[in-house]
């Protein structure tokens, strides 16, 4: 800017970005966000969502937020917080926009090692609700139209109808119909006949993966 320069009324002279806060909008499918939001709500809203509570959405939804940047083999993370929802729901993709905010995005920058969370980067947003008890966790692949194949004490197959709870990625929770500690068949049985004698083998690797996912090892991104 130099002396004696002219500018017209309403002309934009420049754009300034604050480095105090960085915001990221993540598009989440409504079907995936609904159960997550139910877990994250800190209050009881059985009679609806009071209009005066919309101004306090950031307080009501108890999300843990992590923003991740992947550059080759390097993964950089910033702790974030839920700021607000986007104004509209995308009717084409049926997604809801969730705005995550990161305070002090330049504060942890290390030249050559840790980049700043600058404008225009493509990042992931991971949302986590607080842990909830939903009963036993089973692989989604073990479900057969709302039924599970269970091995009884005599190593015989029992086909059991169950009531399912939350689904996430490769796991499902069972609300009713399965007792913790019971053995579930996780491989395909052809044919599957109720009462047939089985020779079960324990899949320790699958148990470890299920435990890791149920504990939040794979957050929603």
């Amino acid at each position: 800017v130099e002396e004696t320069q002219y500018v017209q009324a309403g002309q934009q002279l420049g754009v300034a970005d604050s480095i105090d806060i960085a915001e990221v909008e993540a598009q989440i499918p409504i079907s995936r966000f609904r159960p997550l939001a139910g877990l994250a709500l800190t209050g009881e809203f059985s009679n609806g969502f009071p209009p005066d509570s919309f101004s306090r959405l950031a307080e009501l939804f108890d999300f843990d937020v992590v923003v991740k940047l992947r550059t080759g083999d390097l993964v950089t993370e910033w702790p974030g917080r839920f700021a607000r929802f986007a104004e509209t729901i995308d009717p084409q993709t049926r997604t809801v926009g969730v705005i995550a905010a990161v305070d002090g995005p330049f504060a942890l920058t290390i030249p050559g090692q840790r980049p700043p969370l600058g404008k225009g980067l493509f990042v992931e947003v991971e949302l986590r609700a607080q842990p909830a008890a939903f009963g036993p966790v089973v692989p989604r692949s073990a479900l057969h139209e709302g039924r599970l194949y269970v091995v009884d004490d005599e190593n015989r197959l029992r086909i059991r109808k169950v009531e399912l709870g939350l689904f996430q990625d490769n796991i499902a929770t069972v609300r009713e119909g399965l007792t913790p500690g019971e053995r579930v068949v996780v491989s395909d049985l052809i044919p599957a006949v109720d009462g047939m004698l089985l020779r079960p083998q324990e899949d320790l690797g699958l148990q470890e993966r299920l435990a890791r996912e149920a504990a939040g090892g794979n957050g929603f991104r």
Side-chain angles (χ1 to χ4, degrees):
V1 178
E2 298 178 359
E3 191 176 0
T4 72
Q5 283 183 306
Y6 292 89
V7 62
Q8 296 180 352
Q11 181 178 347
Q12 181 174 298
L13 300 180
V15 177
D17 291 323
S18 171
I19 61 173
D20 295 334
I21 299 175
E23 291 189 341
V24 181
E25 180 175 348
Q27 296 294 329
I28 302 177
I30 297 175
S31 60
R32 300 289 303 276
F33 182 75
R34 180 177 57 83
L36 182 67
L39 294 176
L41 278 173
T42 56
E44 294 292 335
F45 298 98
S46 57
N47 297 323
F49 208 69
D52 60 352
S53 64
F54 280 94
S55 61
R56 300 187 294 111
L57 281 179
E59 303 173 9
L60 296 174
F61 283 90
D62 189 15
F63 286 126
D64 288 334
V65 181
V66 177
V67 177
K68 295 183 178 182
L69 172 65
R70 300 182 186 273
T71 51
D73 296 334
L74 177 65
V75 179
T76 307
E77 298 184 356
W78 292 268
R81 54 183 172 83
F82 168 68
R84 63 187 184 279
F85 290 111
E87 296 178 355
T88 58
I89 295 177
D90 191 325
Q92 300 295 327
T93 60
R94 294 182 58 81
T95 57
V96 57
V98 174
I99 312 299
V102 175
D103 297 311
F106 287 77
L108 301 177
T109 302
I110 303 175
Q113 299 181 35
R114 183 182 176 89
L117 183 57
K119 188 175 182 180
L121 290 176
F122 289 92
V123 296
E124 298 176 359
V125 176
E126 183 174 292
L127 300 179
R128 294 184 181 182
Q130 297 303 311
F134 274 121
V137 175
V138 298
R140 296 184 69 162
S141 59
L143 295 169
H144 305 274
E145 298 181 350
R147 292 175 171 82
L148 285 175
Y149 296 164
V150 180
V151 182
D152 66 13
D153 294 337
E154 299 178 354
N155 288 339
R156 294 189 178 275
L157 175 65
R158 300 303 175 193
I159 301 177
R160 189 180 301 172
K161 180 72 174 179
V162 294
E163 181 181 341
L164 301 174
L166 179 69
F167 287 87
Q168 178 171 308
D169 296 332
N170 301 317
I171 63 175
T173 59
V174 181
R175 290 184 181 273
E176 294 182 3
L178 186 68
T179 303
E182 286 192 289
R183 295 175 294 174
V184 175
V185 178
V186 296
S187 57
D188 292 332
L189 291 179
I190 302 175
V193 180
D194 192 80
M196 64 187 296
L197 187 63
L198 301 176
R199 185 163 51 186
Q201 294 180 344
E202 195 172 10
D203 191 337
L204 296 178
L206 178 59
Q207 289 184 31
E208 293 177 358
R209 292 195 299 271
L210 287 177
R212 185 168 57 251
E213 291 192 39
N218 296 331
F220 185 86
R221 294 181 292 274

